[in-house]
Amino acid sequence: MATAFSFAQTILFSKTSLSIRTNGLRSFSFCLPFSSSSAASLSSDKLQSKKWRQPVASVLELGGVKIAKDDVLRDDPTNNVPDTIFAKLGMQLHRRDQHPIGILKNAIYEYFDTNYSNQFDKFDNLCPIVSVKENFDDVLVPADHVSRSYNDTYYVDAQTVLRCHTSAHQAELLRRGHTHFLVTGDVYRRDSIDSTHYPVFHQMEGVRVFSPSDWEASGTDGTTYVAGDLKKCLEGLARHLFGAVEMRWVDTYFPFTNPSFELEIFFQEKWLEVLGCGVTEQEILRRSGKTDNVAWAFGLGLERLAMVLFDIPDIRLFWSNDERFTSQFSSGQLGVKFKPFSKYPPCYKDVSFWINEAFTENNLCEVVREVAGDLAEEVQLIDNFTNKKGMTSHCYRIAYRSMERSLTDEEINKLQWNVRELVQSKLNVVLR
């Protein structure tokens, strides 16, 4: 459930086929259908016998199952997955050992392997297409929570989503008997456009389950014992990644843990939030058949930590294939400082329109990304007013900038023209 902590921090406080591969463990596969009328889960055998439609443009293999483009970008009134997001499925930056995300993942693996004698099972190839139940219900996200909305989450259909957090796999792993595990994967959320937000990013979750025999000799109750073990574990992880840094614990709230904490470190002259964690809510364990156990869980965003450790200034760079970026990093070399290879100037364009009741900034950002992709560096609201007739106008400034080359006036003007047309047609706003 750990990565649900990052999920909760992002959404609460600011704004699932499985192919499981582990070291020394038998692999198994479990994949969700893409139909809302199907059951919440299907066996691997049933999926293998499913007759997949021919792809529109491509076929991916996720979790050992081939998935066609039109199985994800469905002709369904609830589907809101764009081509740009489908293109990221299966890229799995966290499984590339010479990529900053993969380097950081392996450094965390090293800590757990060394300090826990390889007790933690590792899962980093689980399919990001999961059920609504797995993504929300199984980690106790309330039915009316904003994160369930189509404004925040990518829906394949009414019962199937692209996972918002790797915690979507927690209940299944617990039911299968895993008691110590790390889950790493790509997660998907409709979000704003700036240097630290991207609709695809990577998380890691850790879970450890304790039995009464683990804490009975301590003279404390299970919750107190587990909370202490959790803090000791994560303080050690922070030192492993950042060195001898000052730390502090902050009490917080998550729907899936009680008590809940955030770990902050004093790094580069400021306090940095590293992760969220807590003692797992007993209801989650009870549903998984572990009525006598107590567990802890933590979650962290890999991009957020990698940007700090490698001095990477823009989250879009993680997706770059430019050798001037990729050649700077090597397997096992944590914290090599990124050397900027260029600084191309941004170009700013404004778009103004009268909004309607259905308008959201996330929808606008989806339109901008659909047109400009990673050439869109930032979308910022710069003016907002309501006239005497009660009509509200927004003006947004879009910064276009390539990380790899200079953009021409002609292509920027074409991008902006296409953005204006699509904003008007898709969002039903009135341009000014």
Side-chain angles (χ1 to χ4, degrees):
M1 164 170 71
T3 52
F5 294 103
S6 177
F7 166 69
Q9 290 160 9
T10 302
I11 296 179
L12 287 174
F13 305 115
S14 64
K15 7 187 273 216
T16 326
S17 151
L18 302 180
S19 168
I20 300 185
R21 302 177 183 176
T22 71
N23 296 333
L25 289 176
R26 185 172 66 87
S27 298
F28 62 90
S29 295
F30 165 77
C31 197
L32 288 175
F34 296 132
S35 170
S36 60
S37 62
S38 302
S41 63
L42 284 179
S43 69
S44 175
D45 292 341
K46 288 181 180 178
L47 266 177
Q48 297 296 341
S49 64
K50 175 178 172 61
K51 184 178 181 181
W52 298 94
R53 298 190 303 274
Q54 289 299 310
V56 172
S58 61
V59 172
L60 301 172
E61 185 164 322
L62 299 172
V65 177
K66 290 184 178 180
I67 300 173
K69 182 175 181 179
D70 55 348
D71 285 308
V72 179
L73 308 183
R74 294 173 60 91
D75 183 17
D76 185 294
T78 60
N79 185 286
N80 63 351
V81 183
D83 287 323
T84 52
I85 294 300
F86 176 80
K88 296 293 193 294
L89 287 170
M91 293 189 70
Q92 297 186 314
L93 302 183
H94 60 286
R95 304 188 75 214
R96 303 181 184 184
D97 291 342
Q98 294 186 327
H99 190 281
I101 299 298
I103 294 169
L104 175 56
K105 180 200 76 172
N106 290 334
I108 299 173
Y109 279 3
E110 179 186 32
Y111 170 77
F112 279 93
D113 287 346
T114 301
N115 290 276
Y116 293 91
S117 302
N118 297 305
Q119 295 178 37
F120 279 78
D121 304 330
K122 305 179 192 70
F123 305 97
D124 70 353
N125 193 29
L126 309 188
C127 182
I129 302 167
V130 301
S131 69
V132 168
K133 177 180 180 296
E134 289 170 312
N135 197 71
F136 297 117
D137 299 335
D138 284 352
V139 287
L140 309 183
V141 176
D144 60 350
H145 196 271
V146 64
S147 63
R148 293 178 181 255
S149 74
Y150 293 97
N151 185 60
D152 289 81
T153 295
Y154 290 110
Y155 279 78
V156 174
D157 59 36
Q159 300 300 323
T160 313
V161 300
L162 300 183
R163 66 184 171 209
C164 299
H165 47 194
T166 52
S167 301
H169 305 292
Q170 183 187 117
E172 177 69 16
L173 292 173
L174 289 171
R175 284 193 297 268
R176 289 180 178 269
H178 296 282
T179 59
H180 298 63
F181 56 87
L182 303 172
V183 180
T184 313
D186 44 333
V187 298
Y188 298 78
R189 298 181 202 160
R190 302 176 90 241
D191 212 337
S192 54
I193 298 177
D194 59 39
S195 63
T196 61
H197 291 88
Y198 202 79
V200 189
F201 55 104
H202 298 78
Q203 293 185 336
M204 179 182 289
E205 156 167 337
V207 172
R208 184 181 184 187
V209 180
F210 296 76
S211 299
S213 59
D214 294 318
W215 69 77
E216 284 173 346
S218 69
T220 63
D221 62 275
T223 297
T224 301
Y225 179 86
V226 169
D229 183 89
L230 170 65
K231 290 183 176 181
K232 179 181 177 181
C233 169
L234 296 180
E235 287 172 0
L237 175 60
R239 285 191 291 269
H240 180 73
L241 297 177
F242 293 94
V245 292
E246 185 181 353
M247 306 179 205
R248 68 184 182 189
W249 289 98
V250 179
D251 293 336
T252 188
Y253 164 79
F254 303 115
F256 26 75
T257 54
N258 184 26
S260 303
F261 315 101
E262 290 174 349
L263 175 61
E264 297 180 349
I265 65 170
F266 194 71
F267 187 73
Q268 296 179 347
E269 304 303 316
K270 62 182 179 181
W271 285 102
L272 171 70
E273 179 188 317
V274 176
L275 50 78
C277 61
V279 177
T280 305
E281 282 284 2
Q282 286 302 117
E283 177 64 15
I284 294 175
L285 294 174
R286 185 189 67 77
R287 293 179 184 180
S288 302
K290 294 175 169 55
T291 55
D292 297 327
N293 301 97
V294 180
W296 57 241
F298 74 85
L300 54 84
L302 292 175
E303 271 86 351
R304 178 172 188 169
L305 297 187
M307 290 179 78
V308 174
L309 287 165
F310 293 94
D311 278 355
I312 294 174
D314 193 303
I315 197 169
R316 293 175 298 164
L317 278 165
F318 289 113
W319 299 92
S320 175
N321 291 318
D322 192 313
E323 289 187 0
R324 291 172 295 178
F325 175 78
T326 58
S327 65
Q328 294 191 35
F329 309 102
S330 301
S331 177
Q333 300 298 308
L334 181 68
V336 172
K337 303 307 179 184
F338 168 68
K339 297 183 177 66
F341 46 81
S342 59
K343 187 66 172 178
Y344 298 104
C347 178
Y348 299 100
K349 295 287 185 179
D350 296 348
V351 57
S352 301
F353 45 81
W354 300 103
I355 68 171
N356 53 44
E357 291 183 356
F359 174 80
T360 69
E361 286 194 16
N362 279 357
N363 286 338
L364 172 64
C365 290
E366 285 296 308
V367 167
V368 174
R369 283 194 172 103
E370 182 176 343
V371 173
D374 286 353
L375 297 181
E377 179 177 72
E378 185 176 32
V379 174
Q380 183 180 16
L381 179 66
I382 61 171
D383 187 51
N384 176 10
F385 74 89
T386 302
N387 66 13
K388 294 180 180 179
K389 296 181 179 180
M391 299 173 63
T392 299
S393 171
H394 283 185
C395 179
Y396 288 89
R397 179 156 294 163
I398 303 172
Y400 297 99
R401 189 206 309 250
S402 170
M403 308 298 293
E404 301 167 355
R405 61 184 179 84
S406 291
L407 299 177
T408 66
D409 289 339
E410 181 180 2
E411 62 183 323
I412 291 170
N413 290 335
K414 183 177 180 180
L415 289 173
Q416 183 68 5
W417 178 260
N418 290 338
V419 164
R420 288 176 59 86
E421 284 196 326
L422 211 56
V423 163
Q424 184 170 237
S425 63
K426 277 201 165 186
L427 304 186
N428 296 317
V429 298
V430 179
L431 294 174
R432 297 181 59 226

